[in-house]
Amino acid sequence: MKNNFFIVGALILLAGVFNRVNAREVISFNSDWEFKKGPFPKDAMQAAVKWCTDWQEVTLPHTWNAEDMQKKVSAFYEGMGYYRKIYVFPENMKDKRLFLRFEGVGSCTEVYINGYLVGTHKGAYSAFVCEIGSQVKFGEENEVIVKADNTARPDVIPTNHILFGVYGGIYRPVWLVVTELCSIVANDCASSGVYITQKDVSKQYAEVTVKVKMDNATLTPVPLVLENAICDGSGKLVKKHSQAFELTPQGVQTYSSQFKLSNPHLWQGREDPYLYKVVSRLVQDGRVLDEIIQPLGLRKYEVVAGKGFFLNGKKYPMYGVTRHQDWWELGSALTNKEHDFDLAQIMDIGATTVRFAHYQQSDYIYSRCDTLGLVIWAEIPFVNRVTGQEWENAHQQMRELIRQSFNHPSIYVWGIHNEVYHPHGYTAALTQSVHDLCKLEDPDRYTISVNGYGNVDHPVNQNADIQGMNRYFGWYEKKMQDIKPWVEKMEKEYPWQRLMLTEYGADANIAHQTEILRDALNWMSPFYPETFQTKTHEYQWSVIAQHPYITASYLWNMFDFAVPTSKRGSVDARNMKGMMTFDRKIKKDSYFWYKANWSKEPVLYMTQRRNMLREKKETSVTVYSNIGTPKVYLNGRELSGIRKGYTDVHYVFEKVLLNDGRNVLRAVVIRQGKEYMDEMEWEYRGECSRESDFLEYEKEHGSW
């Protein structure tokens, strides 16, 4: 299978400009692997050459933690695993350069070809490249060995498995990249080798610079031509620039092309995610030696303190969710099918922006955000703890993230750290240093760091362009209503600050239900009712929506995910703050709350359908409707007593008297001649308290 590097889907024929070429080959390297999991004796051979038995056949992506990180607290394997592949490199590759490009390996890696070490990497989430040609035997069988190790270590971020698990293995695809001796660089932090910058972007004008890094693996200068072209979404040439030069073999050489565009078609988020293409070609005597195609979305981002987020000069709603990449029983070993599913749910809920937390995610998913119009935040896994030994690795992972993701128009900010504190002086210095690195690598994007204490004056704050704060009012702190005085105080005392609410919410175990709710819940309790999560989001979103001082907000989380070191809400190894369950099968009530508030699609939804066994005879019925005022019928009788809730889509029917036994509820809205309906059933058997029953059972039996 051959694909053009860094391009999603098939290559578009650029009619009248370029013919389709295959100068660079990118070949899938994901099949016919064998795997062996440790632990291994300390004197095990590095390349595992002598291990002839007990290999398991696998296809990449693969992780050895797909189950054990998700089902029992602290019972997962962290350590070494070996992958082996026998491959015959054909004779016609002899005069080429060969690279293996790994999109993600958890988390420290050594790569061997025929027993020789050809590359190492530290970090589970960024791509890396190993040049292998000098160790290959062409026309013969070659042994490729990859050693992966996901043991937490103090010099590699994240330094532990506390907030999320680092899945071990080659969990993203691997590619064999074949280039000519003169080529656009393949090993510049595993980037495309092409860097596109833009300035003075407006509806009238835009300036674009295309910088291309090239190298020459021969021993003499070679006369070449670099062609850079901008093509529109249909493949039609907009502008082209060519330059001739001699490419010397003395290190990487960089050449740039400048373009001035009149009346450009702008990338306007979900409304109009228009993409140009930049085609960079290296040509010798009319023959194309190499070609890279990158997306170009012309846009201007602005975060204005106290006013909000602006895209191309227009105020833009930042309806934000966060996403962890792992799936139930798959871990992080995902295909594009799983990525597409997650993005479809994010689009369906009406989100306009995504925080991809807490680490670099698949380049494929960033590319899809370019085409979908999602404004996104990309970050490195500098989270939770510092050791004093991660300085170099934090810089390495940020440099890799920026270079690999540089051309994605959807990315507006680089995330530096999340809830990292002691020692304060070291953390602040490291954050500032990584911020400086971001500005050196990419001066045109924002940076952000995140503090979980909500204290502007905390010593680890104010070292990035944007200050993020995680606040879980009613869950980890105070009452859910305390979000309002907090933001009002921030508005008054720190009007100059660019502030984002970067996490908020509450856990929800869909098996736990109650209609008897307070304004705070002890998260240390084993009882995590879905109804409390719903109540939290109903109130807190209404406050966020009224305060443009919060320039963007990101609910935590779009999906439940694995936390292998803790038990929460009577479930091992799980964070249940998601709007959807870990297996992606059930959308919680909170999902429909946000969809009704954010989406343009029609929503009519009654909450508490899983809270079927009612605790009170006199209760209330809540309906979300963005298509007009609903009528609700209980056992065929229309209810009265309706009132508006926190937002315009929120309707509450109070003092509803249930019948003993089964009760059928039906909500109806007729809009433009079309009837929309939602229906559910409740049962009433007498007054009770399900939380007290639950806690008593827990006390007696140890689990629910």
Side-chain angles (χ1 to χ4, degrees), residues 521-534:
L521 191 147
N522 178 11
W523 69 276
M524 299 293 289
S525 162
F527 189 62
Y528 282 14
E530 180 187 4
T531 45
F532 183 84
Q533 183 197 60
T534 306

Side-chain angles (χ1 to χ4, degrees), residues 384-397:
N384 183 247
R385 296 285 189 275
V386 293
T387 65
Q389 300 179 45
E390 66 278 273
W391 186 285
E392 181 179 350
N393 188 251
H395 286 77
Q396 170 210 309
Q397 291 199 43

Side-chain angles (χ1 to χ4, degrees), residues 606-631:
M606 289 188 290
T607 69
Q608 298 194 46
R609 62 196 55 227
R610 280 169 291 279
N611 190 15
M612 294 179 64
L613 185 59
R614 306 304 291 179
E615 297 158 292
K616 298 189 292 184
K617 188 174 183 65
E618 182 179 294
T619 188
S620 62
V621 176
T622 297
V623 183
Y624 305 148
S625 171
N626 62 5
I627 52 176
T629 304
K631 292 184 177 181

Side-chain angles (χ1 to χ4, degrees), residues 65-90:
N65 294 125
E67 294 190 9
D68 64 3
M69 267 195 172
Q70 301 180 347
K71 294 185 176 179
K72 193 172 182 181
V73 173
S74 299
F76 60 93
Y77 173 68
E78 59 172 323
M80 291 185 292
Y82 281 89
Y83 293 82
R84 180 173 68 177
K85 180 181 175 76
I86 305 300
Y87 191 80
V88 177
F89 296 87

Side-chain angles (χ1 to χ4, degrees), residues 349-384:
I349 206 174
T352 59
T353 181
V354 186
R355 178 186 179 191
F356 286 107
H358 285 302
Y359 39 76
Q360 183 172 341
Q361 301 200 11
S362 167
D363 188 76
Y364 174 82
I365 210 165
Y366 295 161
S367 296
R368 291 288 293 127
C369 289
D370 295 339
T371 62
L372 293 170
L374 290 167
V375 176
I376 65 174
W377 158 348
E379 65 185 71
I380 60 172
F382 182 27
V383 296
N384 183 247

Side-chain angles (χ1 to χ4, degrees), residues 3-12 277 292-295 367:
N3 298 288
N4 281 284
F5 204 30
F6 275 80
I7 294 299
V8 178
L11 209 173
I12 294 180
K277 289 182 176 64
I292 295 292
I293 302 177
Q294 291 288 279
S367 296

